[in-house]
Amino acid sequence: MTLALGCIADDYTGASDLANTLTRAGLRTVQTIGVPADDLALPEVDAVVVSLKSRSIEAGLAVSRSRAAETWLRGRGARHVLFKICSTFDSTDAGNIGPVMDALRADCGEAGVLVTPAFPETGRTVYQGNLFVAAVPLNESPLKDHPLNPMHDSNLVRVLARQSKTQVGLVDLATVTRGADAVRARLAELSGKGIGAAIIDAVFDRDLETIGLVAAEHRLSVGASGMGLGLARALVSTGKVKSTAAGGKAGAAVGGPAACLAGSCSQATLQQIARAEAVMPVLHLDPDRIFAGREESERALAWAKPRLTGGPVLIASSATPEAVAAVQARHGRDAVGHAIEQAMADIAEGLVQAGVRRLIVAGGETSGAVVDRLRIPGFLVGVEIAAGVPVLRAVGAEAGDMVLALKSGNFGGPEFFSDALRLMR
Ligand SMILES: Nc1ncnc2c1ncn2[C@@H]1O[C@H](COP(=O)(O)OP(=O)(O)OP(=O)(O)O)[C@@H](O)[C@H]1O
Ligand SMILES: O=C(O)[C@@H](O)C(=O)CO
């Protein structure tokens, strides 16, 4: 297998979002959980997305895990590696986007790295280096209240400069609009001044296509699914990859009980849970009781099991920003986040033992905890449920045949859970 594109994603939902985008753009793609073991049977593919859970861990650990993934990908022939970050640039001043970018850049000797979280299909655009989420700047969007990495600055040149050892420049929209040669010239100008990374503006998919053409000539890029779109289209348009129709490897129906778990506290997920209340039983977990011990997850399983034969159920820890802030004040932000993620993993494990083979998880950290506990080594990409969220078919899972959807907190329409269940057979 010689990879046309190697990708390292800093969370599992983001990885499935990227794998979905690459598949729709014609690349045969597989998503692995961590660096694949040598004995994991992978199909012939153009791109591998290695999923890490490295967005909110200590920066040094994020760097070493990303480097291990890079070594594996380059060892399989990937000339270009995309470091997939969140389209809302989720990170803190301590990292991890800057430190990982710096390390990967040093490893491959890249003079100038293009960086953009733009993903217009989901309303993420970048103008003059400022990230917009739909109509508002990042710092006015719901991301200002994120439970783990609240975003308070929409100017990504500043945000990345606080995290990175290199200077950060800007390639503005006017340059992108003039085409690939103008972008090449601007990047060369910045690199010539020793500026090692540039936030690049993008508002429409055509901007990403221009960016992809230039990025693909380099060894490293940093971005969200929009950067993946640009790179994939460039690989196809320059004949480096023969486009494969995205049929969606859904495979045979797995059937059996279905369940949904929500640990995301995003506005989108809160609305989706409210809508789900009309069509399925919903259990709201108590974060204080989760913090106190395992009884709360046992209560959730005892509640869910008898209901599974009647149809899907939803178990949610999700809460409003005020409630999240209150529980964090009582127990500490990281401790409460970790406790809830582990409770969700306990519940997922119990549900799968009870026969669930169709599982929807909302939230990147939550998905990471669940997928790790279920020991699923990889996924094939099936049909698209909503922008950035495909049906995933587990490969090599201990529980056997399973389909999952890992929903990024902010993605999906109001009826997401019903939309997903309709497509997860
Ligand atoms: N009621 C709650 N109070 C405090 N923290 C919570 C609560 N419910 C969930 N959490 C924690 O909030 C974090 C949510 O992060 P997660 O990545 O799962 O969602 P997200 O950030 O919305 O999704 P994404 O990363 O895909 O955008 C997790 O650490 C989770 O355990
Ligand atoms: O880019 C995004 O917004 C998502 O793929 C994601 O990474 C959310 O965790």
Side-chain angles (χ1 to χ4, degrees), residues 11 13 55 146-148 263-266 287 317-319 324 327 336-337 340-341 363-366 408-410:
D11 83 343
T13 51
R55 186 173 291 171
H146 191 280
L148 302 179
S264 164
C265 299
S266 71
S317 68
S318 319
V324 169
V327 77
V336 83
I340 293 174
E341 287 167 33
E365 298 296 330
T366 310
S408 294
N410 292 293

Side-chain angles (χ1 to χ4, degrees), residues 11 13-14 17 55 84-88 124 224-225 364 408 411:
D11 83 343
T13 51
D17 163 21
R55 186 173 291 171
K84 160 70 177 67
I85 56 163
C86 191
S87 64
T88 46
R124 276 58 155 168
S225 249
S408 294
F411 286 178

